[in-house]
Amino acid sequence: MNNKIQIPSSLVSVDWLLRHLDAPNLIILDATLKKVTDSSTESTAKKQLKNARFFDIKNVFSDQNSQLPNTILSAEAFEKEAQNLGINQDSAIVVYDDLGIYASPRAWWLFKSMGHTNVAVLDGGLPAWKEKKLPLENPKAYTGGLGNFKAIYNAALIETYQTVLKAIDLEEMRIVDARSAGRFNALELEPREELRSGHIPSSKNIPYTTVLDGTTMKSKQVLETIFNESYQQKEKIIFSCGSGITACILALGADIAGMKNLAVYDGSWTEWGSNHQLPIEK
């Protein structure tokens, strides 16, 4: 295939990616990020899909001057770092991670927030690729030329605590929390010790694992059922989590289900739980 491609949906399969590997505008990004609740150490040598480029959420594509983890970059900074990875305005981007679907939706949401919609998550990520016994390679740094990516920030996709605070009392907005039920209901301690336990008042809990079938996303029909109650008669859904990562998994699921007017609370519980001026429920 020598023609440039337009990605048809927010989620693509391994088979789809295989069919389009030779597309001249395809870029594969590895957005792997270790879970904050994971205390294990790396025990196996890292491998990646052929020609993948590492999309470093933690150290490159998050604001290093923010007191909060994983804070979205300014449009100018994101544009520069995307160009450094050789990403162009016409790039068709497929993002994956080593855990199946964990951090890759965060990268997908960041690109959407910067005005780039020709982007999708690889369903099943590295585990799905391995399952088909497809070739892998050792990680290598990107050494190609600069891309011409342009960031056009869409502020409607990223919300602040001020908007979430207002949303508590607004019928037309729904706050949905992706953390576990134990954390949401203050039955489990937060992995970050300095945080209060509980949840944002009036928020609804849909643990991010609810939309996953192991390492892959559940079907569109199941996702429609999951999100129907949250979305019903609401003008906007704001997704929250611990630090803005797993909220994007729910955003991906809702997007696949056909829901519109979605946003992610970037500061999430790390910001809310550490600010004693903000109300909580248990």
Side-chain angles (χ1 to χ4, degrees), residues 253-275:
D255 181 84
I256 294 167
M259 307 304 180
K260 307 297 182 184
N261 209 355
L262 310 173
V264 168
Y265 169 28
D266 205 45
S268 283
W269 192 253
T270 302
E271 179 177 49
W272 197 277
S274 63
N275 187 339

Side-chain angles (χ1 to χ4, degrees), residues 234-251:
K234 303 293 180 183
E235 290 184 6
K236 188 165 194 173
I237 305 180
I238 302 173
F239 296 106
S240 181
C241 59
S243 63
I245 300 296
T246 59
C248 298
I249 300 176
L250 292 189

Side-chain angles (χ1 to χ4, degrees), residues 70-87:
N70 312 320
T71 300
I72 191 170
L73 291 174
S74 68
E76 294 78 15
F78 189 96
E79 178 175 296
K80 177 184 176 183
E81 295 299 345
Q83 289 177 356
N84 286 342
L85 280 179
I87 297 171

Side-chain angles (χ1 to χ4, degrees), residues 50-280:
K50 186 178 180 182
N51 296 325
R53 305 170 193 183
F54 183 46
F55 185 88
D56 191 343
I57 291 175
K58 181 63 68 176
N59 301 303
V60 177
F61 286 93
S62 293
D63 184 356
Q64 300 302 299
N65 295 317
S66 173
Q67 294 182 336
L68 300 172
N70 312 320
T71 300
I72 191 170
L73 291 174
S74 68
E76 294 78 15
F78 189 96
E79 178 175 296
K80 177 184 176 183
E81 295 299 345
Q83 289 177 356
N84 286 342
L85 280 179
I87 297 171
N88 296 311
Q89 288 176 268
D90 68 352
S91 291
I93 302 170
V94 175
V95 193
Y96 78 94
D97 65 65
D98 288 1
L99 298 176
I101 295 180
Y102 179 66
S104 47
R106 174 67 180 183
W108 164 79
W109 194 255
L110 289 176
F111 275 104
K112 283 173 63 69
S113 300
M114 296 298 169
H116 193 87
T117 57
N118 198 11
V119 57
V121 169
L122 179 64
D123 196 18
L126 184 65
W129 191 264
K130 284 182 172 179
E131 187 177 342
K132 289 184 176 286
K133 296 180 170 53
L134 296 168
L136 297 166
E137 65 181 12
N138 293 324
K140 55 187 178 183
Y142 173 73
T143 56
L146 292 176
N148 62 16
F149 181 87
K150 297 297 180 186
I152 303 173
Y153 182 56
N154 184 352
L157 301 187
I158 301 291
E159 293 295 0
T160 64
Y161 80 85
Q162 291 94 337
T163 301
V164 176
L165 188 61
K166 294 176 184 175
I168 291 173
D169 298 316
L170 293 177
E171 278 295 319
E172 62 268 26
M173 288 190 183
R174 166 75 80 185
I175 306 162
V176 178
D177 193 321
R179 293 176 301 152
S180 68
R183 290 171 65 186
F184 183 83
N185 294 309
L187 301 175
E188 300 171 5
L189 293 176
E190 286 295 311
R192 297 174 176 87
E193 294 180 0
E194 70 278 9
L195 300 184
R196 298 176 293 168
S197 296
H199 59 265
I200 299 168
S202 84
S203 62
K204 176 183 174 63
N205 185 213
I206 302 179
Y208 75 88
T209 51
T210 305
V211 304
L212 299 177
D213 184 6
T215 56
T216 60
M217 188 66 70
K218 288 182 177 177
S219 71
K220 183 178 189 295
Q221 292 73 21
V222 172
L223 293 172
E224 287 173 349
T225 301
I226 291 171
F227 288 108
N228 183 56
E229 181 185 349
S230 296
Y231 191 75
Q232 196 170 22
Q233 297 179 336
K234 303 293 180 183
E235 290 184 6
K236 188 165 194 173
I237 305 180
I238 302 173
F239 296 106
S240 181
C241 59
S243 63
I245 300 296
T246 59
C248 298
I249 300 176
L250 292 189
L252 175 62
D255 181 84
I256 294 167
M259 307 304 180
K260 307 297 182 184
N261 209 355
L262 310 173
V264 168
Y265 169 28
D266 205 45
S268 283
W269 192 253
T270 302
E271 179 177 49
W272 197 277
S274 63
N275 187 339
H276 289 261
Q277 305 300 313
L278 298 174
I280 64 170

